[in-house]
Amino acid sequence: MAIDKVTTSALSGNLVTPGTLDVNGNELILDADADSSITADTDDQIDFKTAGNDAMKIDSGGHITMPLQSAVHAYPNTAQDNMSTGIVTIALGAEIYDVNSDFDTSSSTFTAPVTGKYQVNASVTISDIDTAYHWMYGVLLVSSNRNYYLQQIQPRYEITQDYSSYGRGFNASTLVDMDANDTLLLKVRHSSHGSAQHDVVVGSASAPETFLTVHLAC
């Protein structure tokens, strides 16, 4: 006799099959409200859903994509000239992408959605630097755990550099541990010597010279 449906009342303990369990491309529901599942409705591709959304896909070549994984690429869209002294936030008012909407362009702040390790890459190009500064460096300011410092320069020892024409860059690439709701800002700091005359080199969306990228790695 053919069985069309197996109900929970007919099952007891673990489900053990004598051979292959073939769902024939149908969705395998994993939770009570039926919005988390595994399916292979496209040949040779496996889709994992959580809360009704595609969370991970594995294609026939073994490539894994996670459409909901946090990732952002932010850059300045307006000039930030004659920056003040002290520690100054780099104004990142535009985005090339922002998966999961974790970046706030109004405050130039990335907020971690979950506790994890985040790959952060940053580049800041500064022009018209006063060579009276004793030192200048960039910093990734995290609200807890620790801060991360970009390389330092000493403008007074580099007076032959044409900062007005070419600018001077700070770069960083590091794996940052962040707790859920931690914030991250990209800043520049310099000594109290000299005048506030330096500018952020903006670039454009197709070729940003100053930028911040962040993605959840693990």
Side-chain angles (χ1 to χ4, degrees):
M1 179 179 65
I3 299 176
D4 294 329
K5 185 175 182 181
V6 178
T7 62
T8 54
S9 61
L11 296 174
S12 178
N14 297 326
L15 175 62
V16 179
T17 66
T20 301
L21 178 62
D22 186 357
V23 297
N24 194 30
N26 294 308
E27 196 170 21
L28 180 62
I29 306 299
L30 302 176
D31 63 351
D33 59 356
D35 62 359
S36 295
S37 63
I38 302 174
T39 184
D41 52 0
T42 300
D43 189 31
D44 294 329
Q45 177 173 296
I46 302 174
D47 299 327
F48 296 81
K49 288 184 177 180
T50 57
N53 301 304
D54 286 333
M56 185 171 71
K57 295 184 178 184
I58 306 176
D59 71 5
S60 60
H63 305 104
I64 300 174
T65 56
M66 294 176 284
L68 304 179
Q69 191 79 331
S70 296
V72 64
H73 186 162
Y75 67 98
N77 61 341
T78 57
Q80 192 172 1
D81 297 337
N82 298 321
M83 296 173 66
S84 61
T85 58
I87 303 177
V88 180
T89 299
I90 301 299
L92 303 170
E95 301 167 332
I96 295 175
Y97 53 80
D98 185 3
V99 182
N100 200 49
S101 300
D102 298 312
F103 192 83
D104 181 4
T105 54
S106 64
S107 62
S108 304
T109 303
F110 174 82
T111 302
V114 297
T115 298
K117 307 297 187 296
Y118 292 80
Q119 177 62 40
V120 179
N121 304 299
S123 181
V124 181
T125 302
I126 302 292
S127 65
D128 199 21
I129 301 174
D130 191 335
T131 54
Y133 290 148
H134 287 192
W135 46 261
M136 190 175 199
Y137 60 83
V139 58
L140 298 171
L141 188 65
V142 182
S143 58
S144 73
N145 296 330
R146 62 194 53 82
N147 298 324
Y148 298 80
Y149 296 93
L150 287 65
Q151 76 265 31
Q152 183 184 106
I153 63 169
Q154 293 183 313
R156 58 183 174 156
Y157 296 146
E158 301 183 45
I159 58 176
T160 58
Q161 173 68 42
D162 187 354
Y163 291 115
S164 297
S165 299
Y166 302 106
R168 184 65 159 85
F170 304 95
N171 301 288
S173 179
T174 187
L175 194 63
V176 177
D177 59 318
M178 299 181 71
D179 299 325
N181 299 315
D182 266 358
T183 57
L184 183 146
L185 289 163
L186 177 60
K187 294 176 176 281
V188 167
R189 184 182 184 187
H190 59 77
S191 69
S192 58
H193 311 83
S195 61
Q197 66 182 43
H198 53 286
D199 312 322
V200 174
V201 180
V202 176
S204 63
S206 60
E209 294 190 49
T210 296
F211 62 84
L212 173 72
T213 65
V214 186
H215 78 267
L216 176 59
C218 58

